Amino acid sequence: MRDFIKYTAASAVGAFLSLVTLMILLGFGAVGLLTFVIATASRDTEPQIEDKSLLVFDLSVDITNSIPPGGPEVVIEEALYGDLGQAVSLKTVLEAIDQAANDDRIVGLLLQGNTFEGLSTLREVREGLVKFKATGKPIIAYEMGWAERDYYLISVADTIILNPSGILELNGFSAETQFLAGALQKYGVGVQVLRAGRYKSAVEPFTRTESSPEEREQTQALLSDLWQDFLTTAAQERDLTPQRLQQIADAGGLLMADEALQAGLVDEVAYFDEVLSDLGELTESEADTFEDFPQVDLVDYGLRAEFASDNSSDNTIAVVYAEGEIVGGESAPGLVGSDTLTRLLRELRQDDDVKAIVLRINSPGGGAAASELITREVELASETKPLMVSMGDFAASGGYMMAAPGDTIFATPTTITGSIGVFGLLLNLKEIANENGITWDVVKTAQFADIGTIARPQSPQELALQQDIVDTLYNRFLGIVSESRDMTTAEVDQVAQGRVWSGVDAAEVGLVDEIGGLSDAIAAAARAADLEEWQVEEYPQPRTLEEQIFESLFGQIISRLPGAQDPLTQEIYAFRDRLRTLGLLDDPNGLYTRIPFTTTIK
């Protein structure tokens, strides 16, 4: 009976989504439908590239660690909500830059816009730009203003041009944590904590009003590593020293255009019409407007590169993306589902055409049970064929657990990793419920039968029982890393304790093998499999059209409301996201391997 209800419900949902799709298309009318078909067809057409064209890289594009949606579903979203901005995978960006470097039709590259990507992603893109620059083709950067993330990337440019009214912000990194303990206490929500690892601070926003000494210590160390990498990287192409950049930051770090020019941070101060003159010389064009210059957008060029790629090889390297919180069940946008990923890894290790696997992890961790299920499949896959791990901006806690069995782990210096530890968060509503006239009574057949109740705090005996489980899971975590990394349990414990590490420090303590990015991991996989020719296939494939329409209609409305980016709304959204994280704590045992909340670097 239960299966009948389940399958009937699934069929009903599928029928409903099909009906929604049909209603949307009918709602467009004949003209709308024609526009839809034309727009969809245009997405599959290679862009025409003129001779002496400029490759234009809009830094505001969303660079994903997975395959972004494309095709008709994007057209429908834009019809419903307007232009939502472009998204492109990191692999596509790197391949596009590499191909453009050797494309005789491309004479230079223009960087414009502002980025919100993590430093690890930006570092991989920057390395691609360095290779492009080495061919002798110029890179020009122009914008109204930049912050540190932007400058980390654009500092590679041959010519950096800032608008006369622009501002360059180089005032350092900060990590700000929002604490909810006072609000929870005010409204009568009780919180108890289980934890293994003295640096495992993911619970602190719910139990404290400020960071613990251990959390402040590890966050300061992490920020210092990231900042030092920024100083070194940004200075090396600008004929400056890290010490000089530090002086600029300590002096305030907010420079008007002329001040940035005087400090040597930019090469020119000019309006865009003046920049057009230089671009005209580069492209040998007399166009009056930027739109008329011979150019191609990097995203469109990247899609063209995918069309032109040679997929004739029988040897496949599978790039598997694990991006988001680790949860049980199926994957969804921003969620790594253990059922989805284990099933995929199992299929790939049993596929004889797949000669090697690259697991790209961009995850802060999540459920302990889900993380271990995935880790087991990674281990089995690595026993069958070469399996390399490429860490993105985050590969921490449960994200590190599933990386550990990889043959070789690659990370960038700015990857946030480690956080080997376990925690549990126990909430109870006794106080707020009692104040509002709600009480509970319980009848049970054993002392600990109601150990999962939210009606009261846990007793000391119950806490001790659950802490034993946390300690056991922590020891299992240590054992997985110890066996995978050829370290003793004591050695792992010394660098574990929930401690967060930068990629460069993780390499020093033995948690990472190589400093490198996704391209390095793919190349290593090819070498390990003794491949001279191969094709790369990416997994998992994007969701179906019906799934994306459903999410578009019902899951993204709030984020598109006017004013969504003002500071007050951002803080409210931060509060909402903290509470949303509670909703993702779906581990059957209520125990988690997740990075702390203080990893948003500003």
Side-chain angles (χ1 to χ4, degrees):
M1 181 64 181
R2 182 174 61 184
D3 287 341
F4 171 77
I5 294 174
K6 177 176 69 175
Y7 294 130
T8 300
S11 299
V13 170
F16 171 73
L17 292 174
S18 298
L19 179 61
V20 169
T21 304
L22 180 60
M23 290 173 64
I24 290 173
L25 295 178
L26 291 176
F28 285 162
V31 175
L33 183 58
L34 179 60
T35 302
F36 169 80
V37 173
I38 294 173
T40 301
S42 69
R43 294 295 178 94
D44 296 330
T45 302
E46 298 182 21
Q48 297 300 313
I49 303 176
E50 301 178 41
D51 190 32
K52 299 188 184 304
S53 287
L54 194 67
L55 183 66
V56 180
F57 187 0
D58 184 350
L59 302 186
S60 66
V61 67
D62 179 19
I63 302 176
T64 66
N65 280 265
S66 57
I67 307 173
E73 64 271 22
V74 175
V75 177
I76 291 177
E77 278 206 351
E78 291 179 351
L80 290 171
Y81 302 115
D83 186 8
L84 305 180
Q86 293 178 304
V88 61
S89 72
L90 173 63
K91 177 175 173 290
T92 298
V93 170
L94 297 178
E95 289 178 345
I97 295 172
D98 182 64
Q99 178 158 317
N102 301 297
D103 189 335
D104 292 337
R105 295 166 299 177
I106 303 296
V107 296
L109 191 155
L110 175 66
L111 300 173
Q112 59 183 14
N114 301 103
T115 183
F116 299 95
E117 302 299 334
L119 290 176
S120 180
T121 297
L122 294 178
R123 184 179 183 87
E124 294 194 53
V125 175
R126 193 182 192 283
E127 290 174 352
L129 294 175
V130 169
K131 295 177 182 177
F132 180 95
K133 181 179 178 180
T135 65
K137 296 181 180 181
I139 299 177
I140 302 103
Y142 175 83
E143 194 47 65
M144 291 291 298
W146 291 295
E148 289 89 354
R149 291 176 191 270
D150 306 308
Y151 200 77
Y152 188 75
L153 197 60
I154 65 138
S155 59
V156 71
D158 297 275
T159 307
I160 300 177
I161 309 171
L162 185 59
N163 187 280
S165 62
I167 297 177
L168 182 58
E169 177 187 316
L170 293 180
N171 57 357
F173 293 159
S174 67
E176 189 173 82
T177 305
Q178 186 183 71
F179 291 89
L180 310 183
L184 295 174
Q185 183 178 8
K186 176 180 178 180
Y187 292 106
V189 178
V191 181
Q192 293 170 296
V193 168
L194 308 168
R195 180 168 65 172
R198 62 192 183 95
Y199 290 96
K200 199 65 180 175
S201 57
V203 297
E204 291 188 4
F206 303 102
T207 61
R208 299 178 60 93
T209 57
E210 61 181 11
S211 298
S212 66
E214 292 82 3
E215 164 61 6
R216 181 169 292 277
E217 174 192 345
Q218 71 172 346
T219 302
Q220 185 64 61
L222 176 64
L223 283 179
S224 296
D225 283 347
L226 301 185
W227 178 240
Q228 188 58 48
D229 180 76
F230 169 84
L231 294 176
T232 303
T233 302
Q236 64 187 9
E237 299 284 342
R238 298 303 306 162
D239 196 25
L240 294 168
T241 64
Q243 293 77 14
R244 176 55 185 149
L245 291 181
Q246 183 67 57
Q247 291 173 353
I248 291 172
D250 291 337
L254 297 177
L255 293 86
M256 296 299 295
D258 289 337
E259 294 173 319
L261 179 63
Q262 185 177 0
L265 297 171
V266 304
D267 300 296
E268 298 179 23
V269 174
Y271 292 102
F272 193 55
D273 62 282
E274 297 172 297
V275 177
L276 289 180
S277 176
D278 295 335
L279 296 180
E281 293 181 10
L282 178 61
T283 59
E284 297 183 11
S285 170
E286 297 180 358
D288 295 326
T289 65
F290 178 66
E291 289 72 20
D292 293 331
F293 273 91
Q295 61 182 274
V296 60
D297 178 78
L298 182 135
V299 175
D300 293 335
Y301 186 82
L303 294 176
R304 179 190 179 283
E306 291 180 1
F307 286 129
S309 63
D310 180 13
N311 292 324
S312 60
S313 176
D314 293 331
N315 300 321
T316 296
I317 296 177
V319 175
V320 179
Y321 296 107
E323 182 168 31
E325 298 262 355
I326 301 172
V327 298
E330 301 298 324
S331 295
L335 301 177
V336 180
S338 58
D339 289 354
T340 302
L341 190 51
T342 55
R343 183 171 58 246
L344 174 58
L345 289 170
R346 190 177 309 118
E347 292 171 354
L348 293 175
R349 70 176 165 87
Q350 294 172 349
D351 188 339
D352 292 336
D353 290 335
V354 175
K355 306 303 183 183
I357 299 172
V358 174
L359 180 60
R360 173 71 175 193
I361 301 174
N362 197 48
S363 171
S371 299
E372 190 163 343
L373 286 173
I374 296 171
T375 301
R376 175 58 178 168
E377 282 300 328
V378 174
E379 181 182 356
L380 293 174
S382 68
E383 293 173 354
T384 306
K385 56 191 65 177
L387 191 150
M388 306 297 163
V389 173
S390 171
M391 293 181 168
D393 295 319
F394 303 96
S397 207
Y400 183 80
M401 180 189 289
M402 63 182 178
D407 298 328
T408 305
I409 298 177
F410 290 82
T412 74
T414 52
T415 295
I416 297 174
T417 188
S419 193
I420 300 171
V422 183
F423 76 89
L425 201 63
L426 309 174
L427 306 180
N428 74 84
L429 306 180
K430 178 180 180 180
E431 184 177 338
I432 188 174
N434 290 173
E435 289 178 354
N436 290 276
I438 300 173
T439 58
W440 289 268
D441 194 8
V442 61
V443 177
K444 53 187 178 180
T445 60
Q447 179 181 355
F448 299 110
D450 63 335
I451 196 171
T453 182
I454 61 169
R456 58 170 176 78
Q458 299 283 287
S459 69
Q461 295 84 356
E462 290 170 325
L463 289 175
L465 181 63
Q466 294 173 85
Q467 184 62 50
D468 285 343
I469 297 175
V470 169
D471 293 338
T472 299
L473 289 177
Y474 178 63
N475 288 329
R476 287 176 62 86
F477 199 161
L478 296 181
I480 290 171
V481 178
S482 171
E483 183 176 350
S484 302
R485 303 298 302 160
D486 194 25
M487 301 168 67
T488 67
T489 302
E491 288 173 334
V492 177
D493 188 38
Q494 187 174 359
V495 299
Q497 295 293 325
R499 176 72 181 261
V500 174
W501 303 92
S502 67
V504 64
D505 282 350
E508 290 183 3
V509 299
L511 297 179
V512 165
D513 297 302
E514 300 284 347
I515 297 298
L518 178 59
S519 299
D520 298 305
I522 293 173
R527 289 194 299 271
D530 293 324
L531 301 180
E532 294 184 1
E533 295 182 353
W534 67 88
Q535 63 174 350
V536 174
E537 293 188 3
E538 299 172 278
Y539 302 88
Q541 294 298 314
R543 294 161 295 136
T544 66
L545 173 59
E546 289 178 349
E547 292 170 336
Q548 296 203 35
I549 290 175
F550 190 87
E551 181 192 354
S552 298
L553 288 174
F554 304 110
Q556 300 182 13
I557 296 175
I558 293 177
S559 64
R560 309 192 193 287
L561 293 176
Q565 298 303 316
D566 67 84
L568 178 59
T569 305
Q570 287 180 354
E571 202 64 23
I572 293 173
Y573 280 4
F575 178 79
R576 182 196 65 183
D577 290 342
R578 296 286 184 264
L579 297 181
R580 175 180 177 270
T581 301
L582 290 178
L584 296 177
L585 302 184
D586 69 338
D587 187 86
N589 300 313
L591 303 175
Y592 303 92
T593 51
R594 193 195 187 283
I595 200 171
F597 294 99
T598 55
T599 53
T600 299
I601 310 300
K602 298 179 181 179

